[in-house]
């Protein structure tokens, strides 16, 4: 952590360890927000600083809420914010715009410094993913809230490998702490699936998921399945593949969701031809929906007509 606002740019650096020991107490995010760090990120520090902050937490880490550059000195960040507010705009290309929100797609190979600083910031709040400086193979999707005609704020993001051998549609997701609890994670998750659908693929996030991530995904998967089932039950027989291709959700996640709703019954039954079959309980799906007070008639969070396709 240098004498000026810092940003690492060393593509040879190794991945940070998963869930580093906590070494930062508080994050001062831009001019308005201050909140606790949840986990550590050793890559913020030099070798000497790592030893120091392993014993005593850094009291405050100042992070720019626009470009995510950082420093341990409030005066330096104050000077940086003045300059950054007038000269910085979120990189990448606009791929979604609806009401007060937009999403920009940022290529880690083209805007490397921005993506590295964003990844370091995310490491303070995500415990199950490695963060590396080699961001070239990822795309980052930045969710931006347009507070007014003159003010915008990045509120969260997800990253996605450009080439995923497992065809995962999401590698890491984070809604920044001041903006959590507003349903923004569901917007990001749904958008990741809409991209997969446009690509003609079934989507699934990189595993393992954190406890919070799994909870968020199950909410999206189960709600989507509950919305979709009535539209594909034209015949008595509906396969897992039918549900998967109708929703864009990969088969193993469909099964996981049905199990979490306790909606799979007669698992060891067979049809007249001896093929394995089961029963999906619509009553139990309805009970799951009612318990969570979910409105299945509500419009989708993402308006597909507002996705900007190149």
């Amino acid at each position: 952590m240098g004498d000026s606002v810092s940003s690492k740019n060393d593509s040879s650096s190794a991945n940070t360890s998963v869930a580093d020991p906590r070494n930062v107490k508080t994050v001062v995010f831009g001019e308005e927000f201050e909140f606790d760090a949840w986990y550590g990120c050793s890559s913020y520090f030099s070798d000497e600083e790592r030893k120091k902050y392993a014993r005593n937490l850094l009291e405050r880490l100042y992070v720019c809420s626009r470009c995510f550059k950082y420093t341990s000195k409030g005066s330096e960040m104050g000077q940086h914010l003045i300059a950054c507010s007038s000269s910085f705009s979120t990189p990448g290309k606009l791929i979604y715009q609806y009401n007060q929100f937009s999403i920009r797609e940022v290529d880690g190979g083209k805007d490397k410094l921005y993506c590295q600083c964003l990844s370091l910031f995310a490491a303070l709040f995500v415990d199950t993913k490695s963060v590396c400086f080699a961001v070239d193979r990822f795309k980052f999707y930045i969710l931006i809230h347009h507070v007014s005609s003159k003010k915008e704020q990045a509120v969260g993001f997800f990253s996605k490998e450009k080439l995923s051998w497992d065809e995962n549609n999401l590698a890491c997701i984070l809604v920044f702490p001041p903006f959590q609890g507003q349903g923004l994670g569901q917007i990001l998750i749904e958008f990741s699936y809409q991209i997969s659908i446009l690509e003609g693929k079934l989507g699934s996030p990189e595993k393992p998921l954190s406890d919070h991530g799994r909870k968020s995904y199950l909410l999206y998967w189960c709600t989507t399945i509950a919305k979709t089932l009535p539209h594909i039950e034209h015949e008595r027989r509906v396969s897992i593949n039918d549900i998967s291709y109708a929703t864009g959700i990969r088969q193993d996640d469909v099964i996981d969701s049905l199990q979490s709703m306790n909606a799979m019954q007669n698992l060891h039954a067979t049809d007249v031809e001896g093929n394995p079959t089961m029963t999906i309980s619509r009553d139990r799906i309805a009970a799951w929906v009612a318990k969570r007070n979910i409105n299945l008639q509500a419009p989708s969070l993402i308006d597909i007509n507002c996705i900007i396709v190149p």
Side-chain angles (χ1 to χ4, degrees):
M1 192 171 294
D3 294 331
S4 59
V5 174
S6 303
S7 52
K8 295 216 178 204
N9 192 12
D10 178 6
S11 60
S12 65
S13 297
N15 289 357
T16 63
S17 61
V18 178
D20 280 343
R22 188 165 176 244
N23 46 22
V24 174
K25 182 178 181 182
T26 301
V27 176
V28 179
F29 189 52
E31 299 174 293
E32 300 180 43
F33 306 105
E34 184 170 346
F35 42 86
D36 289 343
W38 301 351
Y39 307 103
C41 180
S42 61
S43 295
Y44 269 121
F45 306 107
S46 66
D47 290 340
E48 183 178 339
E49 288 172 328
R50 287 173 193 169
K51 295 177 183 177
K52 174 182 177 182
Y53 296 122
R55 297 188 300 270
N56 300 291
L57 299 183
L58 174 65
E59 192 67 25
R60 285 186 176 85
L61 178 70
Y62 296 86
V63 179
C64 178
S65 59
R66 298 180 181 91
C67 69
F68 298 94
K69 291 183 179 179
Y70 55 90
T71 179
S72 59
K73 299 178 181 178
S75 58
E76 289 177 358
M77 182 53 68
Q79 295 172 0
H80 169 82
L81 291 175
I82 294 172
C84 196
S85 63
S86 61
S87 62
F88 179 81
S89 59
T90 305
K93 60 182 180 182
L94 179 69
I95 60 170
Y96 183 76
Q97 177 81 59
Y98 182 71
N99 290 339
Q100 293 181 302
F101 291 97
S102 65
I103 296 176
R104 299 189 72 86
E105 180 186 79
V106 185
D107 189 320
K110 295 179 180 178
D111 294 288
K112 192 170 186 176
L113 183 58
Y114 175 85
C115 295
Q116 287 175 340
C117 291
L118 174 60
S119 295
L120 286 173
F121 177 70
L124 297 172
F125 308 101
V126 179
D127 67 334
T128 59
K129 307 292 182 183
S130 293
V131 177
C132 65
F133 293 112
V135 294
D136 308 61
R137 60 190 180 95
F138 291 91
K139 289 183 179 180
F140 294 77
Y141 296 84
I142 317 301
L143 179 61
I144 298 170
H145 179 210
H146 297 269
V147 182
S148 68
S149 59
K150 296 182 179 180
K151 182 180 179 182
E152 63 179 46
Q153 173 66 61
V155 294
F157 81 101
F158 72 87
S159 61
K160 174 186 176 182
E161 284 188 289
K162 297 176 184 177
L163 178 61
S164 171
W165 295 109
D166 296 323
E167 295 198 344
N168 293 320
N169 63 0
L170 185 146
C172 178
I173 182 172
L174 175 67
V175 175
F176 307 149
F179 315 108
Q180 293 182 359
Q182 302 176 36
L184 302 181
Q186 294 295 300
I187 293 177
L188 289 169
I189 291 172
E190 183 168 328
F191 190 77
S192 73
Y193 276 94
Q194 291 300 332
I195 292 176
S196 293
I197 290 170
L198 289 173
E199 294 174 345
K201 299 176 181 178
L202 298 177
S204 184
E206 182 180 297
K207 309 296 198 312
L209 294 168
S210 66
D211 290 343
H212 180 73
R214 176 172 167 76
K215 181 179 179 181
S216 297
Y217 265 94
L218 280 173
L219 175 61
Y220 172 77
W221 292 332
C222 294
T223 301
T224 302
I225 290 169
K227 282 185 175 183
T228 305
L229 266 178
H231 301 288
I232 62 174
E233 290 182 323
H234 303 304
E235 301 179 6
R236 291 186 61 84
R237 295 174 64 89
V238 177
S239 69
I240 295 297
N241 281 344
D242 291 335
I243 300 173
S244 183
Y245 285 105
T247 59
I249 300 169
R250 208 156 63 190
Q251 291 90 338
D252 54 336
D253 296 328
V254 170
I255 293 172
D256 192 9
S257 303
L258 292 172
Q259 288 175 333
S260 74
M261 291 187 284
N262 199 26
M264 296 174 66
Q265 298 177 312
N266 302 323
L267 299 182
H268 303 294
T270 57
D271 62 18
V272 293
E273 297 175 354
N275 298 312
T277 185
M278 66 178 181
T279 301
I280 297 176
S281 171
R282 286 180 289 180
D283 289 343
R284 291 187 178 181
I285 292 176
W288 181 92
V289 170
K291 183 177 180 180
R292 288 155 184 81
N293 197 28
I294 293 172
N295 179 11
L296 296 182
Q297 305 305 315
S300 297
L301 297 173
I302 295 295
D303 186 335
I304 59 174
N305 296 313
C306 295
I307 298 176
I308 301 169
V309 180

